[in-house]
Amino acid sequence: MDSVSWTSRYETGIDAIDRQHRELFKRIDRLTLSIYDGEGKRGLGGMLEYLGTYVIEHFGTEEELLSRHGYPDLEAHKKEHIAFMTRFMEIKRECDDKGPDSYLAIRVGREIEEWWKTHVLDTDMRYVPCLRQA
Ligand SMILES: [Fe+2]
C-alpha cells in the first residue's frame, strides 16, 4: 500500500528516486500514526534512526545521478542536502539531550514532512528535465 501523504505530484518519473522517496513518505506516515497511537516517543526514535541511514543513501543516489548527467545546479542542490543534514544533526542532539517525547515527535514530524515535500516539489523537480533527456 502506498503512503497517505504520497500523491502522483511527487513523482519524478525516475524509478530509483521515486522508490526512495516513496519509502520515506511511508516512514513519515508511520511516525504520524505512532503519534496518534500515543507512541510518538518510540516513533520518533525509530524515525531518527532510519533517517540517519536514509539521507546518506538517498542524497548519495541523487548526487551521483546528477553528477553523471552533468546537472548544472548540482552544487546548489547539494547545499540543500547539507542544510538538511545539519538540521537533522541538531534535531538528533536535541532528542539525545531531552530524550524523545511526544511533543518533540509532533514538532519534528511536521518539520521533516514539510522539508521533504518542499524539497521534492521544488528542488528535485528541477533536475527532472535534465535526467529525462539522458
Ligand atoms: Fe534532493
Side-chain angles (χ1 to χ4, degrees):
M1 204 189 81
D2 249 342
S3 73
V4 224
S5 49
W6 177 271
T7 70
S8 58
R9 69 195 186 115
Y10 296 111
E11 252 155 50
T12 62
I14 297 135
D15 273 357
I17 303 283
D18 287 339
R19 235 178 295 126
Q20 290 178 352
H21 282 161
R22 275 171 193 264
E23 175 63 29
L24 176 74
F25 276 60
K26 270 189 201 168
R27 292 292 185 138
I28 291 173
D29 285 345
R30 200 180 290 176
L31 173 60
T32 308
L33 287 176
S34 73
I35 293 166
Y36 288 146
D37 289 343
E39 292 285 337
K41 195 173 158 175
R42 207 158 48 130
L44 178 61
M47 180 61 161
L48 294 182
E49 207 183 298
Y50 168 77
L51 258 184
T53 317
Y54 178 87
V55 286
I56 294 169
E57 194 197 333
H58 175 64
F59 290 165
T61 302
E62 260 188 13
E63 289 170 14
E64 194 276 318
L65 264 172
L66 296 182
S67 124
R68 191 148 34 98
H69 291 96
Y71 180 59
D73 285 331
L74 176 59
E75 285 316 307
H77 198 124
K78 273 187 182 168
K79 273 187 192 152
E80 278 201 28
H81 288 171
I82 291 168
F84 181 82
M85 290 209 268
T86 307
R87 182 63 194 128
F88 173 70
M89 295 314 289
E90 282 170 11
I91 291 170
K92 269 201 84 163
R93 209 172 314 123
E94 190 182 354
C95 200
D96 287 344
D97 288 351
K98 290 186 189 162
D101 64 47
S102 298
Y103 295 108
L104 194 63
I106 293 168
R107 183 157 57 79
V108 166
R110 273 198 204 129
E111 184 179 338
I112 290 173
E113 183 170 0
E114 214 29 62
W115 190 91
W116 279 92
K117 286 184 168 174
T118 307
H119 181 77
V120 171
L121 287 177
D122 289 353
T123 315
D124 286 348
M125 286 305 168
R126 274 185 238 146
Y127 63 58
V128 171
C130 171
L131 261 57
R132 277 211 179 137
Q133 224 172 33

